[in-house]
Amino acid sequence: MASQQDLIKATACAVVDQLNAGTVTPLDLLDVLEARIKEVDGQVNALPILCFDRARDAAKELMKKPLGERGILAGLPVPIKDLTAVAGVRTTQGSPIFKDVVPAKSNVLVERLEENGGVIYAKSNTPEFGAGANTFNEVFGATLNPWDLSKSAAGSSGGAAAAVASGTAWIAHGSDMGGSLRNPASFCGIVGLRPSIGRVATTPSVALGRTLSVQGPMARTVEDLALMLDAMSGEFAGDPLSIPLLPTSFRSAVRAGTKPKRIAYSPDLGITPVDPEVAAITRKAAEAFADAGVIVEEAHPDLREAHECFHVLRAYDFALSKAVLLRDKRDMLKPEVIWNIEEGLKLKVSDLERAEGQRIAMMARAYEFFQTYDLLLCPATITPPFPIEQRYLAECNGTTFDNYVQWLGIVYAITLTCCPALSMPCGFTSKGLPVGLQVVGPPRGEASLLAGARVLEDILGLRDSTPIDPRPAK
């Protein structure tokens, strides 16, 4: 077996190859992760809930199957975001209200991962109910950025991103409504994908038509991301929004190396301020596509309604899912969650009518845009990682935001278009902090999106920048 350090640094795909060859076992990997968590997670606080006994029992059952027949992940350990139910494991949603809840049944996405050879060993930290792009809560405290322990890991999949970046996970599960897979990936120097609606089946809750939030993968490389997406994807009859598997795997699409012909870059999507250093780094990365013979032009679809539309639809979602908590447990909710629910309860049908119409218009314009361009590139986050004490970004480049989510417009605008999008590392600030490039594909175009991102990943040469040992404040 390879050394612990070599395994921690190996890609998920390489580790799966070793699992299938029998040169390492799922139990070996759990031992390696448990040691790594003891070594570094006390500094980062990415994985506050561990379930190694459950994981070892699952690994032993999986190992009864012959090599090569243990699923896509073949016994690779996977942490689950603490918004999602795992049977027999504490699932707090980052809230004091649910701090002792232990569900009897897993969400179907967890069952799918386990069916495909994933071994669940931990829950990753999240803000309360996933509200906010800075990962802290009253149950477990804050998750810190491994690149600088004085900085935020973003959110709401901040624990997942910090675990992948610091070597306590090879891949991780997360979710994304307004950038919650993409922002943490950007801040932590890894890759995070928001897939198309229905690509990853989930157990419905509250309402069947909730399409702002999706489940997705995080990883250190584009190919590892594709591997996990393969393991998460597929139809489930109990989720009416889920869509069937494609005939070819996402990993094979990545390996095919198909490059885009024409891409667009925008520093701001026409709707948001951006830190000048972030704009310069992402522009340079996008223009590097020209080195592969790709046409690069500055353009973006018209997304002018994004702020108003997202504010309404997000507030409505919070009212649907959390109004009962406001009535019964108001004193246990953080101020931002209370604000979100109350904004939703104020809405009129005419507000929803207008917002849904705006979303349809933006989706149609995005669809038309991708008749000309294969990919759209822009910053994944408009700022470098900020101090952990800041609950959110209140100002950027001279512009003050109206509320605690408006600084996320560059990602939630893409949410509204229903297009798949990922964040990938594209460079570092003058202070050595990661900057993420958002790469957006056409509707249901994960295969071409991942393939194009892999081409750029090869050009930029940042694939081996993680995992890292946590670094003290600079």
Side-chain angles (χ1 to χ4, degrees):
M1 185 180 84
S3 71
Q4 174 181 322
Q5 194 66 18
D6 287 343
L7 280 171
I8 288 297
K9 290 186 175 180
T11 66
C13 289
V15 173
V16 166
D17 288 345
Q18 292 186 59
L19 286 166
N20 282 322
T23 55
V24 70
T25 72
L27 290 173
D28 294 332
L29 298 182
L30 292 171
D31 290 344
V32 166
L33 286 174
E34 191 166 31
R36 179 68 176 175
I37 288 168
K38 288 178 180 177
E39 180 185 357
V40 305
D41 198 58
Q43 302 170 69
V44 176
N45 191 31
L47 303 175
I49 300 171
L50 304 177
C51 51
F52 277 101
D53 288 344
R54 181 188 190 277
R56 289 190 171 94
D57 289 344
K60 289 171 185 175
E61 284 300 308
L62 188 65
M63 289 167 65
K64 293 177 182 178
K65 297 180 180 181
L67 291 175
E69 297 180 18
R70 298 176 182 174
I72 294 168
L73 298 178
L76 187 70
V78 182
I80 301 297
K81 187 175 179 179
D82 193 29
L83 298 180
T84 298
V86 176
V89 180
R90 216 173 140 203
T91 300
T92 76
Q93 302 180 64
S95 169
I97 299 170
F98 299 105
K99 66 184 178 65
D100 298 317
V101 169
V102 179
K105 184 172 175 57
S106 293
N107 188 292
V108 68
L109 76 87
V110 174
E111 294 177 348
R112 176 68 49 79
L113 282 168
E114 291 178 326
E115 289 166 4
N116 282 322
V119 175
I120 311 306
Y121 68 100
K123 302 295 292 296
S124 61
N125 205 22
T126 178
E128 184 176 349
F129 305 123
N134 188 1
T135 298
F136 62 89
N137 60 62
E138 291 188 16
V139 184
F140 299 118
T143 295
L144 307 181
N145 192 318
W147 290 91
D148 181 335
L149 292 171
S150 71
K151 299 295 192 289
S152 168
S156 63
S157 304
V164 172
S166 60
T168 57
W170 286 280
I171 55 176
H173 154 261
S175 59
D176 185 305
M177 175 185 280
S180 290
L181 281 155
R182 292 163 285 167
N183 289 308
S186 176
F187 271 26
C188 292
I190 64 161
V191 194
L193 169 71
R194 176 191 167 89
S196 302
I197 296 166
R199 182 68 68 199
V200 177
T202 186
T203 303
S205 63
V206 182
L208 290 177
R210 297 172 75 193
T211 60
L212 287 182
S213 184
V214 300
Q215 310 295 315
M218 307 185 96
R220 296 178 203 147
T221 73
V222 174
E223 187 175 356
D224 286 356
L225 197 72
L227 172 79
M228 188 172 181
L229 185 61
D230 283 331
M232 299 179 80
S233 297
E235 195 171 18
F236 168 58
D239 177 0
L241 297 180
S242 63
I243 55 181
L245 284 171
L246 295 174
T248 56
S249 72
F250 294 112
R251 191 178 177 193
S252 66
V254 167
R255 289 181 159 183
T258 305
K259 67 181 180 182
K261 295 179 180 178
R262 182 187 300 267
I263 67 143
Y265 170 77
S266 172
D268 56 12
L269 298 182
I271 60 167
T272 182
V274 179
D275 178 273
E277 190 175 20
V278 168
I281 291 168
T282 55
R283 180 183 294 277
K284 182 178 179 182
E287 290 173 347
F289 250 130
D291 295 343
V294 178
I295 298 170
V296 181
E297 299 176 348
E298 186 157 332
H300 59 78
D302 180 0
L303 300 169
R304 63 183 181 274
E305 309 98 332
H307 296 301
E308 179 186 3
C309 176
F310 187 76
H311 177 78
V312 169
L313 296 182
R314 185 178 191 273
Y316 177 55
D317 189 87
F318 266 83
L320 275 178
S321 59
K322 305 290 184 297
V324 64
L325 297 179
L326 186 69
R327 290 192 292 268
D328 300 341
K329 306 282 186 181
R330 183 188 182 102
D331 61 329
M332 299 179 74
L333 297 172
K334 73 177 182 179
E336 291 88 348
V337 171
I338 292 172
W339 175 79
N340 275 126
I341 300 168
E342 289 182 336
E343 286 293 293
L345 293 174
K346 293 177 190 173
L347 294 172
K348 302 173 184 177
V349 171
S350 58
D351 297 321
L352 296 173
E353 175 194 20
R354 178 175 172 83
E356 292 289 1
Q358 290 171 332
R359 188 178 189 187
I360 289 291
M362 285 185 284
M363 184 181 69
R365 290 185 215 125
Y367 178 81
E368 187 64 28
F369 183 85
F370 283 109
Q371 304 307 300
T372 300
Y373 297 100
D374 298 314
L375 299 172
L376 167 64
L377 280 60
C378 65
T381 310
I382 64 171
T383 180
F386 52 71
I388 186 62
E389 295 81 12
Q390 284 183 227
R391 294 176 77 92
Y392 58 91
L393 190 72
E395 180 271 340
C396 180
N397 203 22
T399 298
T400 300
F401 299 112
D402 293 338
N403 55 63
Y404 86 105
V405 293
Q406 192 176 353
W407 70 279
L408 306 170
I410 206 159
V411 273
Y412 66 59
I414 300 303
T415 292
L416 295 170
T417 68
C418 305
C419 293
L422 61 81
S423 174
M424 61 182 290
C426 71
F428 297 91
T429 67
S430 59
K431 295 182 178 179
L433 295 173
V435 173
L437 180 71
Q438 183 171 210
V439 186
V440 186
R444 294 196 177 176
E446 285 92 340
S448 59
L449 167 63
L450 289 162
R454 169 63 179 271
V455 171
L456 185 57
E457 184 182 56
D458 287 341
I459 295 170
L460 296 177
L462 298 174
R463 188 177 292 127
D464 298 324
S465 58
T466 54
I468 61 168
D469 292 333
R471 300 175 180 179
K474 296 176 181 177

